[in-house]
Amino acid sequence: MVKTLDARTSQGSNGIGILNPTFTNGVPLLMAQVGLQVKSPGSWIRTFFSGSIKFQAVNLPISGFLGVEVYRESDGLQQLVYQVGTVVRPGRLVSPCALTFNGSDYNVPAPSSGQVTYTVYSVFTYNPQYSITNFRMGPESFNATIYSDD
């Protein structure tokens, strides 16, 4: 039997208004963080997560790249558990760019602290010879649910 241990959502924006700060070329930006409580877990702990980010790049003359990285932190150790990205095409007809993702983290070690934290970073990279204006528009969110067997 599967037991749900905890579920959390981190929402930076529901899509109303522009988020700050905007992206700096190639610099990871904290997108979300959730702390999941893991009390009396059974065996085989696993986490399922999903998220979305939407932004607009103005004056993008050639393609750029939007990436997302999800890290698990438990008992002071941080580990990359998921990575996804998409090409951001130039031109007004394809902007804004939206990226949604679903992932999972299997065989999560039971934390002695009773908490597993997932931290999500997003990064936008483009040719540095161009001056690009960008806006984080939202919706921007991250959802995580942690399970174990009884």
Side-chain angles (χ1 to χ4, degrees):
M1 182 73 124
V2 174
K3 175 170 71 171
T4 302
L5 301 173
D6 199 5
R8 305 284 172 150
T9 297
S10 175
Q11 186 170 43
S13 167
N14 61 4
I16 299 173
I18 295 174
L19 291 162
N20 284 308
T22 59
F23 288 108
T24 300
N25 188 15
V27 177
L29 183 65
L30 178 64
M31 180 181 140
Q33 188 171 54
V34 294
L36 299 170
Q37 301 305 306
V38 181
K39 303 222 190 260
S40 303
S43 58
W44 303 103
I45 301 171
R46 57 218 173 262
T47 305
F48 297 106
F49 50 81
S50 64
S52 65
I53 182 170
K54 184 176 175 184
F55 87 109
Q56 183 167 7
V58 181
N59 305 326
L60 184 65
I62 60 172
S63 295
F65 184 80
L66 176 64
V68 171
E69 294 181 339
V70 179
Y71 291 85
R72 174 192 353 110
E73 184 175 337
S74 178
D75 294 333
L77 301 174
Q78 192 174 56
Q79 179 179 354
L80 177 66
V81 295
Y82 186 82
Q83 194 171 25
V84 67
T86 188
V87 173
V88 179
R89 306 228 184 273
R92 293 175 51 194
L93 298 178
V94 294
S95 196
C97 176
L99 174 62
T100 60
F101 59 94
N102 294 294
S104 54
D105 184 16
Y106 285 90
N107 298 324
V108 176
S112 61
S113 66
Q115 179 171 297
V116 175
T117 301
Y118 286 89
T119 305
V120 184
Y121 296 95
S122 54
V123 62
F124 176 50
T125 55
Y126 52 89
N127 187 326
Q129 81 180 53
Y130 300 106
S131 177
I132 308 299
T133 303
N134 66 81
F135 304 99
R136 290 171 51 219
M137 304 168 59
E140 191 171 291
S141 61
F142 178 73
N143 309 289
T145 305
I146 195 163
Y147 303 91
S148 73
D149 293 335
D150 277 342

